[in-house]
Amino acid sequence: MIIFAPLLIIIAILLWQKIGFPVIFKHSRTGHFEKMFTIYKFRTMIQKMDTKGVLLPDQDRLTKLGRFLRSTSFDELPSLWNVLKGDMSIVGPRPLLPEYFSLYTKEQNRRHEVKPGITGWAQVNGRNAVSWEQKFKLDVWYVDHQSFCLDLKILFLTIFKVFKREGISQNGHATMEKFKGSST
């Protein structure tokens, strides 16, 4: 956190100037052993709503600065606080929304056998460009093969992927479509 402090401050100031407060997005996620926790990320979307008060789709709310932060993964830097608190690890399956929990198959739910991570096997093998089914398979593969050497490999590949800016969004989506359950 100390190493990234100057970058965190610069990003916070830019967000404050471009989209206002709050600059940190807090959201509930399901973690290790299905325990709920609050994840922290830099806010990348504005709270734009339709006439009925319903949030507009992601592509209408994602700002230019937000796209940059997501493509560089700088929006994830506040999640280092989650690592320090023990809610997350640097490497592991990405923590997902609690609303998805009831939709997992027994096999997909195995992703909760390890701490969630800021980066993971699914992120370095397609990120948001792969299907939900593939993402879950990659997460469970990580659970079954977790090791220090694999974590180092994932960290190295993450740096490479961030510079290449691959798999940031799913085709036809600003981010990724919502998980609606398994087709199998």
Side-chain angles (χ1 to χ4, degrees), residues 53-168:
V54 176
L55 283 174
L56 293 176
D58 290 351
Q59 63 265 19
D60 297 332
R61 298 182 304 117
L62 189 60
T63 65
K64 188 176 180 180
L65 177 58
R67 282 188 217 295
F68 172 76
L69 293 175
R70 284 177 178 233
S71 72
T72 58
S73 296
F74 286 161
D75 65 317
E76 303 284 350
L77 289 175
S79 297
L80 291 171
W81 180 248
N82 292 106
V83 174
L84 290 173
K85 286 177 43 184
D87 295 327
M88 292 176 66
S89 179
I90 298 290
V91 178
R94 289 288 301 149
L96 298 177
L97 299 170
E99 65 196 62
Y100 297 165
F101 186 75
S102 65
L103 303 174
Y104 299 149
T105 65
K106 185 176 180 179
E107 184 70 6
Q108 291 168 342
N109 195 47
R110 291 194 56 230
R111 66 191 317 281
H112 298 289
E113 292 175 13
V114 298
K115 279 189 182 183
I118 293 175
T119 187
W121 191 237
Q123 281 61 49
V124 299
N125 284 286
R127 203 170 172 182
N128 288 332
V130 297
S131 70
W132 279 107
E133 297 298 323
Q134 185 63 25
K135 213 180 257 206
F136 284 119
K137 285 179 185 172
L138 292 165
D139 287 344
V140 173
W141 185 91
Y142 174 80
V143 169
D144 291 338
H145 296 88
Q146 182 184 21
S147 70
F148 180 72
C149 288
L150 179 60
D151 286 359
L152 286 177
K153 179 179 180 177
I154 292 169
L155 286 172
F156 173 75
L157 290 171
T158 298
I159 293 166
F160 180 72
K161 294 287 184 176
V162 166
F163 281 113
K164 284 190 78 176
R165 296 187 186 178
E166 290 180 334
I168 297 160

Side-chain angles (χ1 to χ4, degrees), residues 35-49:
K35 180 183 168 201
M36 297 299 296
F37 72 98
T38 300
I39 193 170
Y40 300 94
K41 298 170 84 171
F42 278 122
R43 197 172 116 204
T44 58
M45 296 187 199
I46 56 174
Q47 296 296 323
K48 202 173 192 181
M49 298 183 192

